[in-house]
Amino acid sequence: MKILDGKATADLIKSEIAREVELIVSAGGKIPHLAAILVGEDGASQTYVGHKERACAQVGFKSTLLRFSAEITEDFLLSEIEKINNNPDIDGLIVQLPLPKHIDEQRVIEAIDPKKDVDGFHPVNVGKMVLGLPSFVSATPWGIIELLDRYNIETSGKNCVIIGRSNIVGKPMANLLSQKRSPGDCTVTICHSRTKELKEHTLNADIIVAALGVPEFLKGDMVKEGAVVIDVGITRVKADNKSGFRLVGDVLYDEVAPKCSFITPVPGGVGPMTIISLLKNTLKASKNR
Ligand code: GUN
């Protein structure tokens, strides 16, 4: 069993991006600039946005964080997005999800200029991605593709089971892995809460992407020997330690890992690769402009 080390891979790619930024700046180009909007006090969202800001600093990007209280109106948020859309210094914008219940997430996503939508959530970018056209691709699935690529994992003709059908991970992941290219060319099955006999699907899978958000859902007896297992889950569960919680994936690691050819750990697997994709999308947005 080998670990797919997202942290080490992300560090390597960060140094590649930092070198590229140096070259751009020394040639008189503009420093890439990412803006993030955080609404409310959700602990996990604050942590993720903090990681994104730190990653920007590490590669030499500018970053701006706009923090708003959970009580802001949808109209106020839309007007702030409009300001960023029109700000020529800002190349990319992310609005950290989830948003408070009274704000329509889809309306917010669609308010972002697709050219600055470095999360790849806008329907224009999703549509282009599905057609295989140049676009911003949702950061988590794109990071997983990059990780498979960097570890030279053969995907062509493999049976891939994706557990979870979210717009952010499951759906784009299924699309990317079935596209005609490498990594890709998989035979993809999407499983979800209504899937019957899930285990029959997972036992037939060469590659499993667990992205349903249920801690330790995938057990050892659901995985065949030699499978590649990608764990997208990251849930905070209460623990008797300093922070008061520990991070748990969607995979019961101790049971599943011994059966795998490759597996991503939590933390240090998919999470750091998600941030890399965001940086890459921001660099691309900056170059496009
Ligand atoms: N919430 C969970 N994952 C993400 C992400 O990739 N981007 C944003 N904006 N919010 C998220």
PDB file of all heavy atoms in Angstrom, residues 6 24 37 114 155 164 193-194 221 223 227 229-230 258-259 274 281:
ATOM      1  N   GLY A   6      -0.784  14.055  -0.619  1.00  0.00           N
ATOM      2  CA  GLY A   6      -1.261  15.322  -1.172  1.00  0.00           C
ATOM      3  C   GLY A   6      -0.459  16.498  -0.657  1.00  0.00           C
ATOM      4  O   GLY A   6      -0.199  17.451  -1.386  1.00  0.00           O
ATOM      5  N   ILE A  24       6.903  36.059 -13.944  1.00  0.00           N
ATOM      6  CA  ILE A  24       5.905  37.042 -14.402  1.00  0.00           C
ATOM      7  C   ILE A  24       6.252  38.426 -13.855  1.00  0.00           C
ATOM      8  O   ILE A  24       6.283  39.421 -14.579  1.00  0.00           O
ATOM      9  CB  ILE A  24       4.477  36.623 -13.950  1.00  0.00           C
ATOM     10  CG1 ILE A  24       4.034  35.370 -14.703  1.00  0.00           C
ATOM     11  CG2 ILE A  24       3.470  37.760 -14.151  1.00  0.00           C
ATOM     12  CD1 ILE A  24       2.763  34.726 -14.149  1.00  0.00           C
ATOM     13  N   ILE A  37     -14.496  35.685  -0.121  1.00  0.00           N
ATOM     14  CA  ILE A  37     -15.571  36.227   0.730  1.00  0.00           C
ATOM     15  C   ILE A  37     -15.979  35.139   1.708  1.00  0.00           C
ATOM     16  O   ILE A  37     -16.243  33.993   1.318  1.00  0.00           O
ATOM     17  CB  ILE A  37     -16.786  36.672  -0.113  1.00  0.00           C
ATOM     18  CG1 ILE A  37     -16.404  37.862  -1.003  1.00  0.00           C
ATOM     19  CG2 ILE A  37     -17.962  37.035   0.795  1.00  0.00           C
ATOM     20  CD1 ILE A  37     -17.547  38.394  -1.875  1.00  0.00           C
ATOM     21  N   PRO A 114     -17.804  34.747 -14.709  1.00  0.00           N
ATOM     22  CA  PRO A 114     -17.194  33.448 -15.028  1.00  0.00           C
ATOM     23  C   PRO A 114     -15.677  33.539 -15.261  1.00  0.00           C
ATOM     24  O   PRO A 114     -14.955  32.584 -14.995  1.00  0.00           O
ATOM     25  CB  PRO A 114     -17.917  33.003 -16.305  1.00  0.00           C
ATOM     26  CG  PRO A 114     -19.216  33.722 -16.280  1.00  0.00           C
ATOM     27  CD  PRO A 114     -18.971  35.035 -15.568  1.00  0.00           C
ATOM     28  N   THR A 155      -5.431   5.065 -15.310  1.00  0.00           N
ATOM     29  CA  THR A 155      -6.886   5.168 -15.148  1.00  0.00           C
ATOM     30  C   THR A 155      -7.636   4.616 -16.364  1.00  0.00           C
ATOM     31  O   THR A 155      -8.818   4.282 -16.249  1.00  0.00           O
ATOM     32  CB  THR A 155      -7.315   6.639 -14.935  1.00  0.00           C
ATOM     33  OG1 THR A 155      -6.839   7.418 -16.036  1.00  0.00           O
ATOM     34  CG2 THR A 155      -6.784   7.208 -13.632  1.00  0.00           C
ATOM     35  N   GLY A 164     -21.251   9.794  -3.978  1.00  0.00           N
ATOM     36  CA  GLY A 164     -21.614  11.199  -3.749  1.00  0.00           C
ATOM     37  C   GLY A 164     -21.849  11.892  -5.074  1.00  0.00           C
ATOM     38  O   GLY A 164     -21.099  11.677  -6.023  1.00  0.00           O
ATOM     39  N   SER A 193     -27.163   8.191  -2.157  1.00  0.00           N
ATOM     40  CA  SER A 193     -27.973   7.680  -1.038  1.00  0.00           C
ATOM     41  C   SER A 193     -29.082   6.722  -1.479  1.00  0.00           C
ATOM     42  O   SER A 193     -29.572   5.942  -0.672  1.00  0.00           O
ATOM     43  CB  SER A 193     -28.572   8.860  -0.266  1.00  0.00           C
ATOM     44  OG  SER A 193     -29.240   9.720  -1.157  1.00  0.00           O
ATOM     45  N   ARG A 194     -29.484   6.761  -2.743  1.00  0.00           N
ATOM     46  CA  ARG A 194     -30.556   5.866  -3.212  1.00  0.00           C
ATOM     47  C   ARG A 194     -30.000   4.635  -3.938  1.00  0.00           C
ATOM     48  O   ARG A 194     -30.790   3.841  -4.476  1.00  0.00           O
ATOM     49  CB  ARG A 194     -31.518   6.616  -4.143  1.00  0.00           C
ATOM     50  CG  ARG A 194     -32.213   7.792  -3.501  1.00  0.00           C
ATOM     51  CD  ARG A 194     -33.096   7.342  -2.328  1.00  0.00           C
ATOM     52  NE  ARG A 194     -33.557   8.477  -1.570  1.00  0.00           N
ATOM     53  CZ  ARG A 194     -34.762   9.033  -1.723  1.00  0.00           C
ATOM     54  NH1 ARG A 194     -35.597   8.564  -2.593  1.00  0.00           N
ATOM     55  NH2 ARG A 194     -35.109  10.068  -0.977  1.00  0.00           N
ATOM     56  N   ASP A 221     -14.551  -4.253   4.022  1.00  0.00           N
ATOM     57  CA  ASP A 221     -15.213  -5.312   3.230  1.00  0.00           C
ATOM     58  C   ASP A 221     -15.939  -4.768   2.002  1.00  0.00           C
ATOM     59  O   ASP A 221     -16.585  -5.519   1.279  1.00  0.00           O
ATOM     60  CB  ASP A 221     -16.175  -6.127   4.121  1.00  0.00           C
ATOM     61  CG  ASP A 221     -17.369  -5.300   4.594  1.00  0.00           C
ATOM     62  OD1 ASP A 221     -17.371  -4.059   4.377  1.00  0.00           O
ATOM     63  OD2 ASP A 221     -18.301  -5.876   5.176  1.00  0.00           O
ATOM     64  N   VAL A 223     -14.196  -2.980  -0.299  1.00  0.00           N
ATOM     65  CA  VAL A 223     -13.124  -2.593  -1.222  1.00  0.00           C
ATOM     66  C   VAL A 223     -12.375  -3.839  -1.686  1.00  0.00           C
ATOM     67  O   VAL A 223     -12.064  -4.709  -0.877  1.00  0.00           O
ATOM     68  CB  VAL A 223     -12.134  -1.651  -0.485  1.00  0.00           C
ATOM     69  CG1 VAL A 223     -10.961  -1.274  -1.359  1.00  0.00           C
ATOM     70  CG2 VAL A 223     -12.862  -0.397  -0.001  1.00  0.00           C
ATOM     71  N   ALA A 227      -7.259  -1.866  -4.901  1.00  0.00           N
ATOM     72  CA  ALA A 227      -7.991  -0.674  -5.355  1.00  0.00           C
ATOM     73  C   ALA A 227      -7.216   0.606  -5.006  1.00  0.00           C
ATOM     74  O   ALA A 227      -6.379   0.618  -4.100  1.00  0.00           O
ATOM     75  CB  ALA A 227      -9.372  -0.629  -4.707  1.00  0.00           C
ATOM     76  N   VAL A 229      -7.944   4.244  -3.565  1.00  0.00           N
ATOM     77  CA  VAL A 229      -9.033   4.883  -2.810  1.00  0.00           C
ATOM     78  C   VAL A 229      -8.698   6.352  -2.531  1.00  0.00           C
ATOM     79  O   VAL A 229      -7.643   6.672  -1.974  1.00  0.00           O
ATOM     80  CB  VAL A 229      -9.333   4.128  -1.494  1.00  0.00           C
ATOM     81  CG1 VAL A 229     -10.321   4.916  -0.624  1.00  0.00           C
ATOM     82  CG2 VAL A 229      -9.931   2.747  -1.810  1.00  0.00           C
ATOM     83  N   ILE A 230      -9.598   7.211  -2.982  1.00  0.00           N
ATOM     84  CA  ILE A 230      -9.447   8.661  -2.794  1.00  0.00           C
ATOM     85  C   ILE A 230     -10.510   9.107  -1.793  1.00  0.00           C
ATOM     86  O   ILE A 230     -11.706   8.957  -2.047  1.00  0.00           O
ATOM     87  CB  ILE A 230      -9.678   9.414  -4.136  1.00  0.00           C
ATOM     88  CG1 ILE A 230      -8.830   8.833  -5.268  1.00  0.00           C
ATOM     89  CG2 ILE A 230      -9.462  10.913  -3.955  1.00  0.00           C
ATOM     90  CD1 ILE A 230      -7.359   9.055  -5.155  1.00  0.00           C
ATOM     91  N   PRO A 258      -4.992  -1.274   4.245  1.00  0.00           N
ATOM     92  CA  PRO A 258      -4.194  -2.472   3.944  1.00  0.00           C
ATOM     93  C   PRO A 258      -4.590  -3.179   2.648  1.00  0.00           C
ATOM     94  O   PRO A 258      -3.793  -3.931   2.088  1.00  0.00           O
ATOM     95  CB  PRO A 258      -4.471  -3.390   5.152  1.00  0.00           C
ATOM     96  CG  PRO A 258      -5.002  -2.510   6.217  1.00  0.00           C
ATOM     97  CD  PRO A 258      -5.688  -1.374   5.530  1.00  0.00           C
ATOM     98  N   LYS A 259      -5.794  -2.921   2.136  1.00  0.00           N
ATOM     99  CA  LYS A 259      -6.240  -3.593   0.907  1.00  0.00           C
ATOM    100  C   LYS A 259      -5.885  -2.803  -0.355  1.00  0.00           C
ATOM    101  O   LYS A 259      -5.983  -3.320  -1.459  1.00  0.00           O
ATOM    102  CB  LYS A 259      -7.768  -3.770   0.955  1.00  0.00           C
ATOM    103  CG  LYS A 259      -8.220  -4.615   2.120  1.00  0.00           C
ATOM    104  CD  LYS A 259      -9.704  -4.820   2.111  1.00  0.00           C
ATOM    105  CE  LYS A 259     -10.073  -6.014   1.231  1.00  0.00           C
ATOM    106  NZ  LYS A 259     -11.510  -6.330   1.367  1.00  0.00           N
ATOM    107  N   THR A 274      -6.662  20.449  -3.293  1.00  0.00           N
ATOM    108  CA  THR A 274      -7.755  21.369  -3.623  1.00  0.00           C
ATOM    109  C   THR A 274      -7.217  22.799  -3.675  1.00  0.00           C
ATOM    110  O   THR A 274      -7.532  23.579  -4.583  1.00  0.00           O
ATOM    111  CB  THR A 274      -8.870  21.263  -2.553  1.00  0.00           C
ATOM    112  OG1 THR A 274      -9.411  19.951  -2.594  1.00  0.00           O
ATOM    113  CG2 THR A 274      -9.980  22.269  -2.777  1.00  0.00           C
ATOM    114  N   ASN A 281      -5.889  27.874 -10.847  1.00  0.00           N
ATOM    115  CA  ASN A 281      -6.977  28.584 -11.525  1.00  0.00           C
ATOM    116  C   ASN A 281      -6.779  30.093 -11.422  1.00  0.00           C
ATOM    117  O   ASN A 281      -7.066  30.827 -12.369  1.00  0.00           O
ATOM    118  CB  ASN A 281      -8.329  28.189 -10.920  1.00  0.00           C
ATOM    119  CG  ASN A 281      -8.856  26.873 -11.486  1.00  0.00           C
ATOM    120  OD1 ASN A 281      -8.360  26.376 -12.493  1.00  0.00           O
ATOM    121  ND2 ASN A 281      -9.862  26.314 -10.840  1.00  0.00           N
TER     122      ASN A 281
END
